[in-house]
């Protein structure tokens, strides 16, 4: 009986963690200083670019961190695709802005 409760609580913890990690790129790209509301699927574009940049930066700086950045990036891409599909009518109704946002792990190659 006790083992079943621990198992259920562990699954609940993983589900809460999954919900907290998913679709953050869709939310980040739509709020803040350079909001990109009005661009369809901007969160999906932001999450794929951010996942690639963060994974590459982790590979260059600390290679074992790729074991963490790739699964989080995949979860974020899936969550952003779902949230962007839900927010598609809103994006189509609002006029497109000309701003762009950089990823969290932006690498400046000019230096």
């Amino acid at each position: 009986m006790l083992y079943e409760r621990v198992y259920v609580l562990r699954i609940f913890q993983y589900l809460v963690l999954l919900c907290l990690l998913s679709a953050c790129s869709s939310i980040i790209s739509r709020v803040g200083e350079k909001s990109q509301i009005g661009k369809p699927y901007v969160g999906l574009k932001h999450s794929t670019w951010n996942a690639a940049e963060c994974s590459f930066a982790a590979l260059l700086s600390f290679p074992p961190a790729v074991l963490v950045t790739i699964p989080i990036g995949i979860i974020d891409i899936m969550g952003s695709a779902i949230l962007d599909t839900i927010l598609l009518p809103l994006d189509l109704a609002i006029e497109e802005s000309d701003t762009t946002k950089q990823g969290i792990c932006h690498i400046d190659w000019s230096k």
Side-chain angles (χ1 to χ4, degrees), residues 2-109:
L2 179 64
Y3 295 115
E4 292 175 4
R5 284 185 186 174
V6 171
Y7 182 72
V8 170
L9 286 174
R10 178 122 346 179
I11 289 176
F12 180 72
Q13 288 173 348
Y14 288 135
L15 289 174
V16 168
L17 182 64
L18 180 69
C19 289
L20 290 174
L21 289 176
S22 64
C24 62
S25 290
S26 288
I27 297 167
I28 288 172
S29 64
R30 285 182 169 79
V31 297
E33 187 176 309
K34 296 183 178 179
S35 176
Q36 296 179 341
I37 294 178
K39 293 183 179 180
Y41 290 98
V42 71
L44 183 62
K45 179 182 172 187
H46 190 272
S47 67
T48 53
W49 182 255
N50 194 33
E53 269 191 339
C54 286
S55 296
F56 190 68
L59 185 64
L60 290 178
S61 62
F62 185 64
V66 174
L67 298 173
V68 175
T69 59
I70 290 177
I72 289 175
I74 291 171
I75 291 170
D76 186 38
I77 289 170
M78 292 186 305
S80 294
I82 293 169
L83 187 60
D84 282 347
T85 303
I86 293 170
L87 295 175
L88 185 62
L90 177 70
D91 286 334
L92 294 176
I94 296 176
E95 190 173 317
E96 184 175 326
S97 62
D98 292 334
T99 59
T100 58
K101 276 194 171 186
Q102 291 181 345
I104 296 171
C105 301
H106 180 68
I107 300 172
D108 188 12
W109 295 103

